[in-house]
């Protein structure tokens, strides 16, 4: 049995059932759930499922992961300390923009194993960077309130503050 | 009915918000709070001090990090600051992992002690100590739940007196760097399963496994001879050999063994009985010792499934593996990883070797081999009736673009990337500050 997955742009991907079963949303769709929540829409009776929030490029990347793990039991619950095979680390890479898209899609599609892998990929990129470097990398604005800045000054100078609280 | 309507409205709003978010470019701002939390946990698994950086990124990250008490269970104390009360509050009184760094200033030690009193040491699971001044009975006896102890000493080595550690009855992992056992008396830790010792003296390493740990149901052991300037201490002298005795030492539960450094490891392996050994990692081995150790494999009669050899001494690899092949090796071997230098001749020999279960050969980083030899290896394994399922060629400078499809057409899957995986196999009990 095959299932057609339709990306945001309308591109169709014909996948086998074991591959599609890796995707939680699709798995649930096969049993008729999640339609009411609007996560996925069956286009016709031949199991075409539209994944309106996933672009073609990200969907094709995700399907590579699903194909690789089609014969394994899906991960139900993970751990941030779990280790990933070399293949996974090569797959996720270091392109922060793409990892963020994969993370978002893995969350939307309910794929816990891929979600943890994407978090690990992001953590690898963040590791060794200072807060300013992280802000520059991710386009984050340091938007602390005055009170938070005072708190942070106190924390960073906690040693001095502890010795000389006055 | 009203309840259903409002639920539908909520669902609709959620879907709408999700759809809106999807139309935005990839942005960290688009991620839900829970996902940022997952990222912070993954980051902390790499670097225990990551939460300290996370709270200084932006208002949102600060709020998320401060709301996750699990992030604050690792306390690192160095000269940068004493943060015990702060961490105590943020972890909701559950600091579980303590790191005492060597850059702490000695004159503040009394203050450390006062502050640590408030940290509820009784709940500590892991202690990484780089300050020998803190390895005292009166400190350690307050940590009855300690499962992991790591002592890392830089500079002059220290001697550990077991009486000082005697209160650590729950200890499971003991990791010593440049810290020697006081003597050959057995370790008083009945739950100990994993030991690691790195030091500059070969005799200490041998005695550690043959004497100090004997009788314990160890599952994993790693011995590493660190770079030593004096050759005399890397090789046991006559007196050391007499002290070692000739009795066989049984480790019936030991599954993983890692030996590293240039010394005569045959003195150790020839005395060990390891019926359940699954993985051997030999790193930076000298030539005669590797050959001798391979000779030990059969007498061990262990069901070894994974063998990793890493050395730039090509004689060590080729002599050692030749013995393995001649002896028809270890029939249970499934995974063979070689890092260093190999010749085509040797690889040809490996193709014809009798290893019925050998499914994966990892040549990551290997030099001296030609692409043609890799093709011949894949073909020879098929002709011998024991085809390979996977060949890993990560970081091999001799791999050409046309080689990968060529080998894959023959049968095995080829893994090829620029990144070479660490020598330590995955799944070993690595030192981590586990959150859960």
């Amino acid at each position: 049995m095959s299932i057609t997955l339709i990306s945001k742009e309308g591109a169709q991907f014909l996948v086998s059932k074991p591959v599609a079963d890796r995707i939680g949303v699709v798995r649930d769709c096969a049993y008729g759930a999640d339609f009411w929540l609007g996560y996925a829409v069956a286009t016709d009776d031949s199991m075409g499922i539209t994944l309106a929030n996933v672009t073609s490029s990200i969907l094709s990347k995700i399907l590579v992961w699903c194909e690789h793990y089609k014969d394994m039991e899906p991960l139900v619950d993970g751990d941030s300390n779990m280790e990933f095979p070399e293949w996974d680390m090569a797959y996720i890479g270091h392109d922060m923009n793409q990892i963020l898209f994969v993370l978002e899609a893995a969350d939307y599609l309910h794929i816990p194993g891929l979600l943890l892998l994407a978090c690990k990929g992001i953590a690898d990129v963040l590791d060794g960077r200072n807060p300013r470097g992280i802000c520059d990398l991710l386009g984050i604005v340091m938007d602390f309130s005055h009170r938070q800045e005072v708190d942070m000054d106190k924390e960073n100078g906690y040693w001095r503050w502890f010795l000389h609280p006055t | 009915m009203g309840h259903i309507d409002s639920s539908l409205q909520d669902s609709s709003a959620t879907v709408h918000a999700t759809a809106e978010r999807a139309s935005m470019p990839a942005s960290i701002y688009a991620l839900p709070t829970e996902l940022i939390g997952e990222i912070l946990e993954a980051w902390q698994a790499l670097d225990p001090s990551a939460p300290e950086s996370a709270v200084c990124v932006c208002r949102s990250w600060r709020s998320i990090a401060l709301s996750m008490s699990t992030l604050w269970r690792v306390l690192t104390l160095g000269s940068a600051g004493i943060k015990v009360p702060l961490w105590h509050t943020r972890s909701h009184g559950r600091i579980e992992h303590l790191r005492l760094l060597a850059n702490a200033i000695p004159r503040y030690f009394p203050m450390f002690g006062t502050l640590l009193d408030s940290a509820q040491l009784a709940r500590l699971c892991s202690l990484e100590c780089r300050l020998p001044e803190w390895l005292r009975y009166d400190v350690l006896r307050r940590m009855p739940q300690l499962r992991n102890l790591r002592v890392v000493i830089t500079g002059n080595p220290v001697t550990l007196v077991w009486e000082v550690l005697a209160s650590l009855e729950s200890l499971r992992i003991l990791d010593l760097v440049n810290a020697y056992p006081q003597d050959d008396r057995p370790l008083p830790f009945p739950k100990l399963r994993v030991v690691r010792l790195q030091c500059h003296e070969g005799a200490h390493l041998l005695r550690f496994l043959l004497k100090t740990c004997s009788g314990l149901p160890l599952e994993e052991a790693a011995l590493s001879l660190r770079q030593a300037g004096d050759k005399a201490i890397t090789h046991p002298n006559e007196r050391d050999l007499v002290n070692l005795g000739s009795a066989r030492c049984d480790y019936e539960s030991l599954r993983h063994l890692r030996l590293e450094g240039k010394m005569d490891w045959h003195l150790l392996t020839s005395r060990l009985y390891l019926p359940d050994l699954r993985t051997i990692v030999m790193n930076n081995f000298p030539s005669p010792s590797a050959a001798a150790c391979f000779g030990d494999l059969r007498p061990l009669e262990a069901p070894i499934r994974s063998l990793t050899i890493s050395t730039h001494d090509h004689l060590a690899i080729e002599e050692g593996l030749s013995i393995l092949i001649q002896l028809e090796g270890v029939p249970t071997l499934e995974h063979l990883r070689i890092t260093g230098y190999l010749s085509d001749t040797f690889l040809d020999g490996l193709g014809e070797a009798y290893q019925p279960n050998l499914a994966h050969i990892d040549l990551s980083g290997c030099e001296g081999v030609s692409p043609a030899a890799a093709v011949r290896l894949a073909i020879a394994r098929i002709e011998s009736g024991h085809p390979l399922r996977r060949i890993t060629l990560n970081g091999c400078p001799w791999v050409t673009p046309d080689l990968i499809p060529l080998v894959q057409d023959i049968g095995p899957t080829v893994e090829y990337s620029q990144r070479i995986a660490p020598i330590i196999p995955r799944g070993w009990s690595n030192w981590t500050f586990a959150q859960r």
Side-chain angles (χ1 to χ4, degrees), chain B residues 19-66:
Chain B
E20 261 188 0
R21 216 172 53 217
S23 66
M24 294 165 63
S27 163
I28 202 85
Y29 286 115
L31 297 178
T33 303
E34 307 83 60
L35 288 189
I36 304 278
E38 294 274 2
I39 292 169
L40 296 183
E41 281 192 347
W43 185 14
Q44 196 201 21
L46 295 176
D47 175 12
S49 60
E52 293 176 61
S53 298
V55 293
C56 297
V57 170
C58 67
R59 192 187 293 202
S60 161
W61 280 38
R62 182 177 176 81
S63 161
I64 294 167
L66 291 180

Side-chain angles (χ1 to χ4, degrees), chain B residues 69-274:
Chain B
S69 63
T70 52
L71 290 182
W72 304 97
R73 291 182 183 166
V74 184
L75 174 63
T76 303
L77 292 181
S79 62
I82 289 186
K83 306 166 278 192
V84 180
L86 208 56
W87 260 241
H88 188 63
T89 308
R90 290 176 179 177
S91 67
H92 298 167
R94 292 198 59 183
I95 295 172
E96 292 178 354
H97 315 283
L98 179 61
R99 304 170 73 213
L100 296 170
L101 301 187
N103 58 353
I105 303 165
R107 69 189 169 99
Y108 295 141
F109 283 176
M111 197 170 293
F112 261 45
T114 311
L115 286 166
L116 283 175
D117 281 343
S118 63
Q120 298 188 10
L121 298 179
R123 285 182 172 174
L124 276 188
C125 298
S126 311
L127 172 64
E128 178 181 327
C129 188
R130 291 167 186 260
L131 283 164
E133 292 85 349
W134 283 86
L135 291 169
R136 301 198 315 250
Y137 180 75
D138 62 321
V139 176
L140 296 175
R141 75 184 171 82
R142 289 157 55 199
M143 307 175 182
Q145 291 184 30
L146 203 68
R147 286 164 53 86
N148 308 332
L149 174 63
R150 184 170 203 219
V151 180
V152 182
I153 304 299
T154 47
N156 293 328
V158 299
T159 302
L160 288 178
V161 181
W162 293 143
E163 280 76 11
V164 167
L165 309 176
S167 59
L168 306 177
E169 291 179 355
S170 303
L171 206 62
R172 196 176 181 280
I173 299 179
L174 179 63
D175 187 340
L176 305 176
V177 179
N178 214 14
Y180 301 115
Q182 163 199 15
D183 50 37
D184 288 343
R185 278 182 296 165
L187 290 171
F189 311 124
K191 294 181 180 170
L192 197 66
R193 296 294 178 270
V194 179
V195 291
R196 299 195 191 105
L197 176 61
Q198 290 182 45
C199 70
H200 294 285
E201 292 195 36
H204 275 299
L205 293 168
L206 299 180
R207 277 177 19 219
F208 188 63
L209 213 54
L210 292 175
K211 299 273 185 179
T212 318
C213 297
S214 66
L216 290 172
L218 294 183
E219 292 168 4
E220 181 186 320
L223 302 178
S224 175
L225 181 74
R226 303 182 98 199
Q227 197 67 35
D230 185 358
K231 273 192 174 180
I233 58 172
T234 64
H235 296 280
N237 57 29
E238 286 297 322
R239 179 181 289 180
D240 290 327
L241 293 176
V242 170
N243 285 340
L244 288 174
S246 57
R248 195 178 76 171
C249 193
D250 292 9
Y251 284 106
E252 296 195 350
S253 309
L254 197 81
R255 288 175 164 238
H256 308 298
L257 177 64
R258 182 185 183 205
L259 303 172
E260 180 180 42
K262 293 190 174 180
M263 63 173 277
D264 194 355
W265 290 104
H266 177 61
L267 292 170
L268 175 71
T269 52
S270 61
R271 288 169 164 86
L272 293 178
Y273 177 65
L274 309 170

Side-chain angles (χ1 to χ4, degrees), chain A residues 14-163:
Chain A
L14 187 67
V15 296
S16 63
K17 189 175 179 300
V19 174
D21 276 352
R22 305 294 309 181
I23 304 173
V25 164
V26 174
R27 204 171 49 237
D28 292 343
C29 260
Y31 298 100
D34 271 359
F35 283 96
W36 297 107
L37 294 173
Y39 279 116
V41 179
T43 52
D44 54 36
D45 294 337
S46 61
M47 289 303 289
I49 297 172
T50 300
L51 303 168
N53 289 347
V54 187
T55 60
S56 301
S57 63
I58 293 300
L59 184 56
S60 62
K61 185 171 173 69
I62 285 174
L63 290 177
V64 169
W65 187 88
C66 296
E67 175 73 33
H68 189 77
Y69 285 111
K70 67 181 177 186
D71 298 326
M72 292 177 68
E73 279 291 307
L75 183 74
V76 178
D77 191 16
D79 184 325
S80 55
N81 282 297
M82 67 185 278
E83 294 193 4
F84 293 91
E86 291 166 46
W87 186 90
D88 276 18
M89 299 317 295
Y91 165 85
I92 202 70
H94 288 87
D95 180 344
M96 181 59 101
N97 209 39
Q98 193 171 54
I99 304 175
L100 283 170
F101 275 128
V102 170
L103 175 64
E104 212 172 4
D107 183 41
Y108 163 71
L109 297 172
H110 298 179
I111 314 176
L114 185 56
L115 190 141
L116 280 174
L117 174 62
C119 287
K120 163 79 173 150
I122 294 172
D124 272 347
V125 181
L126 296 182
D127 194 30
R129 292 176 193 262
N130 60 23
R132 173 61 64 190
I134 293 167
C135 288
D136 292 344
L137 176 76
L138 297 172
I140 295 175
V141 179
M142 281 188 169
D143 55 353
F144 293 112
S145 66
H146 176 67
R147 184 175 169 176
Q148 282 174 322
E149 282 178 356
V150 171
D151 283 348
M152 282 159 55
D153 279 348
K154 202 163 77 173
E155 288 161 18
N156 294 334
Y158 198 86
W159 180 230
R160 290 191 303 277
W161 176 81
F162 185 84
L163 292 175

